[in-house]
Amino acid sequence: YIVKPYIYSEVKETLEKYLLSPKNASRLERLDYLRSNIMVGNIDQKTTIIQEGTTFIQLRIGQIFYLEADNDNTFFHFADNEGKSAKIHATHGLKYYEDKLTDCNFCKISRKHVINFKHFSKFLKGDGTVVLTNGDKLSVTSVWKDDFLRRMKG
């Protein structure tokens, strides 16, 4: 487990000790992947791995518009490499990804939705609707409205 907040040097040291032991020598590639993501200063360039059935897909955090709960699964709404809207049906629940992405400027706005503030366009206060840069409109529910407004104002 990695407890937040963490100190980069301590995480790095622990991972290197574990991965550089003789029985884990084949895991050096994982260390390089972790190191590249930890050291990336721009959140948009960081990546996350999403499991869709038996396939694992790597997405840049900056590509993701929002996440949508679907029972025990999650839909990722994102911009593909050509800039078009796309969707992946991930095999983990919303809570799993919400916990992973909270430190990457994501915010829960309802029981079903977590948005990426990078793609926040405007908030229609009258009907409590968020408009994202791709044009999608999502409702902010009263349970999460105060947290959303606090984070929106920065």
Side-chain angles (χ1 to χ4, degrees), residues 22-39:
K23 68 178 183 175
N24 294 313
S26 64
R27 297 183 182 175
L28 286 175
E29 290 177 4
R30 290 184 188 176
L31 176 62
D32 289 337
Y33 173 78
L34 286 170
R35 188 179 292 145
S36 68
N37 268 319
I38 289 172
M39 294 177 73

Side-chain angles (χ1 to χ4, degrees), residues 38-52:
I38 289 172
M39 294 177 73
V40 172
N42 183 352
I43 288 175
D44 293 343
Q45 297 304 315
K46 288 186 180 184
T47 60
T48 189
I49 303 293
I50 301 161
Q51 183 178 356
E52 183 178 37

Side-chain angles (χ1 to χ4, degrees), residues 42-92:
N42 183 352
I43 288 175
D44 293 343
Q45 297 304 315
K46 288 186 180 184
T47 60
T48 189
I49 303 293
I50 301 161
Q51 183 178 356
E52 183 178 37
T54 58
T55 305
F56 292 87
I57 301 162
Q58 182 174 341
L59 269 184
R60 282 191 334 272
I61 302 295
Q63 289 178 279
I64 303 167
F65 294 118
Y66 66 97
L67 286 62
E68 178 182 11
D70 179 43
N71 297 319
D72 291 333
N73 298 305
T74 303
F75 281 109
F76 274 75
H77 297 263
F78 66 100
D80 66 13
N81 292 333
E82 297 168 4
K84 298 177 184 173
S85 288
K87 185 164 61 170
I88 294 174
H89 191 241
T91 53
H92 288 290

